[in-house]
Amino acid sequence: MSVPPDPQYAERVAKSFSRQQFMSTLGAELESVAPGEVVIKLPFGSHITQQHGFVHAGALSAVVDSACGYAALTLMPPGTAVLAVEFKVNFMAPASGDEFYAKGTVVRAGRTLTVCSGEVRNGREGSVVSIMQSTIISLDRPEMAD
C-alpha cells in the first residue's frame, strides 16, 4: 500500500473516530489502523438488533461504512475530510454472535475519489456476514478536516 502523506494518520483517525457519536451509540470501537486498512469492532447488544434478534442491517452498514471511510483517510493528506459518495452492501448471513469486525480496505486511492472494499465478520476470523463496495471523496475543507 502507499506511504501515507500524513505521518500522524493513525492519531488523526483515532481522534476523528472518537468524535463520531453514532459509533458510540452503537458501541463500536476502533480496533486497528494501518495505511489503507481500518478495523472496527462492534460488540453485540440488544439495542442494535432487529425484530428477529439479529444485528440490524443499518448497524452493520454503518460500521463498515466508517471502516472504509477511515481506511481512505489514512492515505489522504492533513487538512482533508472524507465523505461517502456511494456504497453497496450485500448481506451474506444473519448477524448473530458476540462481536463483529468490520474491515475497510483501500482498493484504489485517487486524488479525489478512493474506492474501498469492506467486510463484516462474525468474530475475528469468523464467517463473512456482509460485504461492501464504497466510493469515498476527499474534500479539501480545512473547517471539516478529520
Side-chain angles (χ1 to χ4, degrees):
M1 190 50 60
S2 304
V3 173
D6 180 0
Q8 303 299 315
Y9 71 90
E11 293 85 358
R12 186 168 144 206
V13 167
K15 184 176 178 184
S16 178
F17 186 86
S18 72
R19 294 192 316 266
Q20 277 211 22
Q21 292 299 308
F22 190 50
M23 290 295 106
S24 178
T25 297
L26 293 175
E29 305 163 16
L30 190 60
E31 182 77 7
S32 66
V33 179
E37 184 179 288
V38 167
V39 177
I40 298 173
K41 177 182 172 183
L42 178 65
F44 178 84
S46 62
H47 68 288
I48 59 172
T49 61
Q50 43 85 295
Q51 71 276 18
H52 302 296
F54 301 117
V55 176
H56 194 283
L60 296 171
S61 298
V63 293
V64 72
D65 169 50
S66 287
C68 286
Y70 283 123
L73 185 64
T74 67
L75 300 180
M76 293 182 185
T80 57
V82 295
L83 291 174
V85 173
E86 64 85 29
F87 61 73
K88 180 186 184 337
V89 182
N90 291 97
F91 299 97
M92 315 302 283
S96 62
D98 294 330
E99 57 189 17
F100 302 88
Y101 290 83
K103 179 169 77 170
T105 305
V106 171
V107 175
R108 182 183 181 279
R111 272 184 282 157
T112 304
L113 296 177
T114 296
V115 175
C116 297
S117 66
E119 67 177 26
V120 178
R121 289 187 176 269
N122 186 346
R124 256 185 230 285
E125 303 296 326
S127 60
V128 175
V129 174
S130 65
I131 57 174
M132 173 181 275
Q133 180 172 314
S134 176
T135 304
I136 307 295
I137 191 166
S138 171
L139 300 174
D140 186 12
R141 304 269 304 267
E143 73 279 8
M144 290 177 55
D146 285 307

